[in-house]
Amino acid sequence: MIARAPDALSLAARLLLAAALLPTGIARALNVSGFALTLAGAGVPAPNAVATAMVVVQVFGPLALILGVLPRLTGLALALFAAGMAVVLHPFWQFGGAAAIAERTLLLADLGLAGGFLLYALQGPGAWSWQGWRAGARSAPKKAPARKPANSNGPRRGGRPARAAA
């Protein structure tokens, strides 16, 4: 039971990290134009293309994270996404008072998520994942070939061939 604890914790961490992005990703997928308007208001160039790309990352990234597919690529893409969106959507330096504190808190939370995604890219998904299942399937012991019956003309125990009957 204790031996499975790291795999269970890896799965729990993947689910929690995915839960931080997937609901928002689905909401943005249902209103990509609204997200593009938000990005345009933040001064992002080509907001429609960026919004579409970010929605793809924010929906399919957490799904790949949950399944444990392509962990390095998924972790790096989600870390870049979280850090980039943190800076674009939470510019606390443009605010004052309580709004600045709230925006700074959101920025730091998003940067913390980016750190979690980088750890995932470094550590991998664990055994309870698609990658773990595939690694187990590759390393599964293969059945030994069936033994052939001894041939009277083949080698004997001493390594010498048997004499053929005349």
Side-chain angles (χ1 to χ4, degrees):
M1 181 73 174
I2 300 284
R4 294 182 180 175
D7 296 323
L9 288 174
S10 291
L11 175 62
R14 291 192 338 257
L15 292 173
L16 290 171
L17 283 169
L21 291 184
L22 190 57
T24 307
I26 292 170
R28 286 179 177 164
L30 296 174
N31 186 12
V32 178
S33 60
F35 183 43
L37 286 174
T38 301
L39 293 177
V44 173
N48 289 328
V50 172
T52 302
M54 293 298 103
V55 164
V56 168
V57 169
Q58 199 171 3
V59 171
F60 291 106
L63 294 176
L65 181 71
I66 290 168
L67 296 174
V69 176
L70 300 171
R72 287 192 178 128
L73 177 65
T74 301
L76 289 174
L78 289 173
L80 289 173
F81 168 81
M85 288 293 103
V87 171
V88 169
L89 297 179
H90 305 295
F92 69 91
W93 53 91
Q94 295 177 354
F95 296 92
I101 293 170
E103 289 297 322
R104 186 183 66 215
T105 301
L106 291 170
L107 177 113
L108 293 174
D110 286 351
L111 292 178
L113 277 175
F117 294 131
L118 288 175
L119 283 173
Y120 170 71
L122 180 67
Q123 296 294 324
W128 294 356
S129 65
W130 175 259
Q131 183 183 12
W133 175 78
R134 288 194 36 122
R138 280 188 296 227
S139 66
K142 296 184 179 177
K143 292 183 179 180
R147 296 182 76 172
K148 295 180 182 177
N151 186 351
S152 61
N153 290 334
R156 293 190 306 186
R157 285 193 176 180
R160 297 182 313 239
R163 292 187 184 176

